[in-house]
Amino acid sequence: MPFLALSAAVLLLGIADSMVNSYIVLFGADVVGLTPLQIGVWASVVAIGGIAIGWWLGRLFDRRPARTYATAVILSGSAGYLLLPKVSSFPVLLLMAATVLGAVGAAFPQLFALARSVLGEGAAGQRSAPLLRSAWSLAWAVGPLLGALVLSRGGYSGLMWTAAAVFLASALTVLVVPRPRPVAGASTSPGSIPVLLTASVTLFFAAMFAGGVALPLFVTRALHQQPASVGVLFSVCAAVEVVVTLGLAVVPARVSQRALILGGFCSFVCLYALTAVSSTMLMLVIGQVFRGVGIAIVGAAGIRYFQDLLAPATGRATTLFANASTAGLLVSGILAGVAVEHFGYRATFCLCGAAAGLGGVAFALGSRRRAASRPAEKVYSSV
């Protein structure tokens, strides 16, 4: 069944990705001996490489849909992490970041575009984004724990090699997916880039990543909780993500997709408002429920909204959404560090909430303009 194969590929990709990315900073510092600045540069180059390669492959997919693109970038990641424990030269690490490691970032939008192309524009295709997003959320709930187990037994080399094997399994699973059929009209121009909508996604994920940087420090240093408490909070968030994302696939047609996504932005505003005044773990746990709801809605319904908006250019649409989220990651680390250092944790959470709120305003304005430019808004069978 095509959907099961796609779900397995996304799950395996997410497990491998979360295994390495949960510990890649420690690998760079403890094994390679990189300075914090070098680690930051390395991470930025990985992100930029993923954006560039993803944008290129997204356009190729629209002209000629194929499984080859996803398979190739996942295999490149497998090879990269297989070699990574043997590399100690910073220039070589940067070269790998811009190529084989950065290419992995293009795999996520490619798999979602492949799903839409293979499953079609009917109910199955419409539900593919939230269902596959739930597999990705599940992978991020499992992957860091699996990575910790492998790290404790095999060290960083064992971690990278295990992740390489999981990447390889994901690539092989993609080959089980049926070949996508050419999409009529995919070679035509799908219109201009929706700037406000893209900016809204970037602001949302910048708020998400920046909050993710500040929260562990806030929990351990300001509230004096044990480091394990951070894992509990993120596990709650991941569990909520999975449940809400699965629920999106059965939302009645009468519920507006636009309204749901705006609700996701509002959920993030509630998250940071609550976190900013939190003094107990219970309040933080409640906040993580809002976080899981927001990530699930914007992360899953947002992808499909872009696919529908830029149809039939599925590859370009999915890549645009993914690259917007990566752009949020690029700016979030430095901004979060500066905000925590100069304004404190609670003020940083307020700034994250403001960024999410501003993103919601940008989405509201951008989606209203798009809707006004069409005779009537299309009604979907699910979100």
Side-chain angles (χ1 to χ4, degrees):
M1 184 178 179
F3 179 76
L4 291 179
L6 285 162
S7 297
V10 170
L11 180 66
L12 290 168
L13 176 69
I15 289 175
D17 187 66
S18 60
M19 283 178 65
V20 293
N21 282 309
S22 296
Y23 305 99
I24 196 69
V25 171
L26 296 177
F27 169 79
D30 298 341
V31 178
V32 185
L34 300 180
T35 66
L37 177 59
Q38 288 176 320
I39 292 173
V41 171
W42 187 31
S44 295
V45 173
V46 171
I48 293 171
I51 289 174
I53 294 171
W55 185 256
W56 173 55
L57 291 182
R59 289 179 173 273
L60 285 180
F61 187 94
D62 290 334
R63 288 197 291 268
R64 183 175 296 179
R67 304 169 301 180
T68 307
Y69 314 125
T71 304
V73 293
I74 298 173
L75 285 176
S76 73
S78 178
Y81 286 108
L82 187 65
L83 297 174
L84 191 59
K86 302 297 183 181
V87 179
S88 58
S89 168
F90 184 58
V92 175
L93 286 173
L94 290 180
L95 178 62
M96 293 179 66
T99 54
V100 292
L101 301 184
V104 179
F108 180 86
Q110 280 293 314
L111 288 178
F112 277 73
L114 182 62
R116 187 66 175 257
S117 180
V118 170
L119 299 176
E121 297 295 327
Q126 292 289 322
R127 294 188 179 98
S128 64
L131 292 175
L132 291 181
R133 189 60 175 76
S134 69
W136 183 262
S137 299
L138 179 61
W140 269 88
V142 173
L145 300 177
L146 179 60
L149 177 62
V150 175
L151 185 61
S152 66
R153 296 178 179 272
Y156 286 103
S157 294
L159 176 66
M160 299 302 169
W161 292 339
T162 302
V166 180
F167 275 124
L168 176 61
S170 177
L172 295 177
T173 304
V174 175
L175 297 178
V176 180
V177 179
R179 298 177 186 273
R181 292 171 298 190
V183 179
S187 60
T188 62
S189 173
S192 59
I193 295 175
V195 177
L196 278 176
L197 296 177
T198 304
S200 73
V201 174
T202 299
L203 285 167
F204 178 88
F205 282 99
M208 186 190 83
F209 291 123
V213 170
L215 183 64
L217 299 174
F218 175 69
V219 170
T220 56
R221 297 183 183 181
L223 299 186
H224 307 292
Q225 299 289 328
Q226 295 298 318
S229 300
V230 178
V232 172
L233 293 175
F234 287 145
S235 294
V236 170
C237 176
V240 172
E241 275 187 63
V242 173
V243 174
V244 175
T245 309
L246 288 173
L248 289 174
V250 294
V251 169
R254 64 179 178 272
V255 178
S256 167
Q257 182 178 212
R258 177 177 181 266
L260 271 175
I261 297 174
L262 286 173
F265 281 96
C266 292
S267 184
F268 250 44
V269 174
C270 294
L271 154 69
Y272 287 117
L274 182 60
T275 305
V277 299
S278 292
S279 57
T280 65
M281 279 295 295
L282 177 59
M283 296 176 71
L284 292 176
V285 168
I286 296 173
Q288 289 305 298
V289 173
F290 284 109
R291 186 174 190 265
V293 170
I295 294 174
I297 292 176
V298 177
I303 290 177
R304 203 180 70 176
Y305 188 89
F306 271 61
Q307 289 178 336
D308 293 336
L309 184 67
L310 299 180
T314 302
R316 179 175 178 263
T318 312
T319 303
L320 180 62
F321 182 92
N323 284 352
S325 66
T326 304
L329 172 62
L330 272 175
V331 302
S332 64
I334 296 176
L335 293 180
V338 171
V340 167
E341 182 175 346
H342 291 280
F343 304 112
Y345 301 112
R346 297 185 189 275
T348 299
F349 294 134
C350 290
L351 291 174
C352 290
L358 184 60
V361 172
F363 182 84
L365 294 175
S367 57
R368 186 174 63 181
R369 290 180 182 179
R370 291 277 163 170
S373 66
R374 291 172 292 178
E377 186 174 358
K378 186 178 179 180
V379 177
Y380 301 101
S381 59
S382 63
V383 174

